[in-house]
Amino acid sequence: MRKILTTEAQTPQAGKPAGLPANSVGIVEPKSHTFPGPFKLACGRVLDEYTLVYETYGTLNADKSNGVLICHALSGHHHAAGYHSETDKRPGWWDHYIGPGKPIDTNKFFVVAVNNLGGCHGSTGPSSVNPQTGKPWGPDFPPLRARDWVHSQAQLADLLGIQQWAAVVGGSLGGMQAMRWSLEYPDRLRHCVVIASAMKLSAQNIAFNETARQAITSDPDFRDGRYLEEETLPRHGLSVARMIGHITYLSDDGLGKKFGRELRSGTFEQGVEELVEFQVQSYLRYQGDTFSGSFDPNTYILMTRALDYFDLAREYNDDPVEAFSHARCKFMLVSFTSDWRFAPERSREIVDALMHANIPVTYAEVESPMGHDAFLLPNERYEKFFSAYMNNVAREHSAEITSGVAK
């Protein structure tokens, strides 16, 4: 049996409040660390220092080999599982898949979830103060690429003493970061888990992102991105941007089953003049209003541009096989049948490239009516497949430790 070492990075599990689910990681507390620069970005600019906010769940083992990094999607952040207080109405954004006995089992793994550089939940980003001016960075914050996030995450791994991740896991934009990890630091991860993602965006996806950005920048309160200085906020524009994005995360079938053409208010009765509102309209406005009160518009612009810029094979003669030939880890991929934003075809392209590069890969296409959002939601087949793979990750390394061949 392997020894367990309690470290400062451990998330306390003792004394879990009785009201929380038994398979929850419990009450968690975000941590932050400021890294000294210079930190050179892909665009050529340099940050003198930067702060990352992160959460950890589970216990780091003695040889620090059971770490799992969670890379978040576009609007995600560090709070992936558990609760910040007993009064929280909702847990972290991936709570269904992180915790004791869940696919990413915190009885086996030490899980690290980080708010990306450029984010708006505590990590250095456009809403942070620019130390050179004493004002919010706003539109002056440097443009970022996925590799910038990966390099900053590698510095966080160094801080935690993790030389090699058991797995780097991500859905959507998070999956792009996971793939970039496999090329930038091939010896620092044993498994790469890519869910509902792609090697690059289609023109249609770029068009959706540009439409969302235009909704934000055309809001009169955007003020060329200096709304914080001028004490305004383009909430309407950000709300519309979120509505556009949210539509692309869902499927026609899913929306039809959930809302159909049901009315929220009004009537089609002949002879009655009354404004009609569909349930789906009300739902989208609620999603937009909620999001616009908690997310920074400049961050949304920055993140969507990084999503547009991502192209895994660009620097490898546009050949994904050549790109993946640099990887040293094993891969798991998952796609969902109704996901039209990151369709199964995109995942199959990744699988084909990995196979031609002679890289071990396991793939599942999961039936779901929930569109792109399916990777966040309960699904029995997805959960079983994910659990089986991650259990194998844990067993595989335990066997290596026993035989003395672990890296």
Side-chain angles (χ1 to χ4, degrees):
M1 182 177 293
R2 300 168 70 186
K3 295 181 180 179
I4 299 296
L5 173 68
T6 300
T7 74
E8 290 183 358
Q10 180 187 6
T11 299
Q13 296 297 307
K16 184 188 299 181
L20 298 184
N23 61 352
S24 170
V25 298
I27 303 296
V28 297
E29 186 175 332
K31 307 171 180 67
S32 68
H33 184 81
T34 299
F35 297 85
F39 185 69
K40 189 172 182 179
L41 302 169
C43 67
R45 291 171 63 182
V46 174
L47 293 178
D48 293 334
E49 64 177 28
Y50 68 93
T51 298
L52 291 183
V53 174
Y54 63 101
E55 290 182 359
T56 65
Y57 322 113
T59 303
L60 191 61
N61 61 13
D63 59 6
K64 300 184 179 181
S65 62
N66 68 332
V68 171
L69 175 66
I70 305 298
C71 302
H72 69 68
L74 173 64
S75 59
H77 43 71
H78 55 278
H79 186 40
Y83 299 81
H84 284 160
S85 73
E86 293 182 58
T87 59
D88 272 1
K89 294 181 179 179
R90 297 180 62 183
W93 57 269
W94 220 18
D95 190 78
H96 190 76
Y97 291 92
I98 300 173
K102 296 178 182 179
I104 304 175
D105 192 341
T106 50
N107 289 328
K108 300 173 182 176
F109 298 111
F110 174 68
V111 182
V112 180
V114 59
N115 181 211
N116 282 347
L117 181 66
C120 55
H121 293 89
S123 293
T124 298
S127 57
S128 305
V129 173
N130 180 346
Q132 309 238 333
T133 65
K135 298 177 181 180
W137 276 99
D140 297 329
F141 195 81
L144 299 176
R145 304 285 181 91
R147 57 170 31 94
D148 295 320
W149 294 327
V150 169
H151 294 325
S152 66
Q153 292 159 4
Q155 291 199 346
L156 177 60
D158 292 341
L159 175 73
L160 298 173
I162 298 172
Q163 291 305 304
Q164 187 185 67
W165 298 102
V168 177
V169 182
S172 191
L173 178 59
M176 293 175 173
Q177 295 170 63
M179 286 187 284
R180 181 60 71 191
W181 257 98
S182 74
L183 303 188
E184 297 291 317
Y185 299 98
D187 294 321
R188 297 199 67 174
L189 69 164
R190 299 193 298 278
H191 293 265
C192 181
V193 178
V194 181
I195 305 170
S197 194
M199 289 186 286
K200 60 185 176 183
L201 288 195
S202 65
Q204 183 187 53
N205 269 318
I206 295 172
F208 278 123
N209 286 343
E210 176 60 16
T211 305
R213 289 191 292 267
Q214 288 294 322
I216 295 171
T217 58
S218 62
D219 187 318
D221 287 329
F222 183 66
R223 308 291 175 90
D224 294 323
R226 305 196 184 279
Y227 45 85
L228 293 178
E229 289 183 50
E230 301 190 25
E231 298 184 347
T232 63
L233 188 65
R235 286 197 62 162
H236 177 72
L238 183 57
S239 177
V240 173
R242 180 59 172 177
M243 290 168 68
I244 293 168
H246 200 69
I247 291 169
T248 70
Y249 304 148
L250 306 173
S251 70
D252 181 42
D253 188 41
L255 281 171
K257 288 181 178 179
K258 188 170 184 178
F259 300 107
R261 290 178 54 84
E262 296 298 317
L263 298 184
R264 169 85 174 178
S265 61
T267 179
F268 287 116
E269 182 181 348
Q270 293 190 41
V272 177
E273 182 180 353
E274 188 175 342
L275 184 65
V276 167
E277 180 184 32
F278 290 96
Q279 290 279 6
V280 68
Q281 292 175 271
S282 176
Y283 168 76
L284 286 174
R285 279 201 294 271
Y286 171 78
Q287 292 293 331
D289 289 345
T290 301
F291 185 76
S292 66
S294 62
F295 210 84
D296 177 62
N298 278 322
T299 289
Y300 196 85
I301 291 171
L302 179 150
M303 294 278 185
T304 55
R305 283 177 175 159
L307 189 58
D308 291 350
Y309 299 158
F310 184 82
D311 185 343
L312 192 75
R314 180 189 292 115
E315 296 165 2
Y316 300 90
N317 300 310
D318 291 318
D319 182 355
V321 177
E322 181 182 337
F324 281 125
S325 69
H326 296 271
R328 298 290 179 267
C329 60
K330 297 178 181 179
F331 283 75
M332 178 191 112
L333 273 91
V334 181
S335 66
F336 299 91
T337 54
S338 61
D339 183 356
W340 56 277
R341 179 132 201 201
F342 289 83
E345 287 83 355
R346 303 289 79 79
S347 289
R348 290 199 289 268
E349 289 171 353
I350 299 170
V351 171
D352 288 345
L354 287 166
M355 291 173 62
H356 282 92
N358 294 315
I359 303 295
V361 57
T362 303
Y363 172 58
E365 182 176 315
V366 178
E367 185 76 29
S368 170
M370 303 309 295
H372 186 56
D373 270 355
F375 85 92
L376 301 167
L377 303 172
N379 180 300
E380 185 177 3
R381 183 164 183 257
Y382 170 37
E383 187 171 348
K384 286 182 176 179
F385 179 74
F386 200 171
S387 293
Y389 189 88
M390 293 305 295
N391 285 337
N392 187 58
V393 171
R395 284 194 299 268
E396 177 186 274
H397 193 57
S398 294
E400 289 177 350
I401 291 292
T402 301
S403 63
V405 298
K407 293 180 182 179

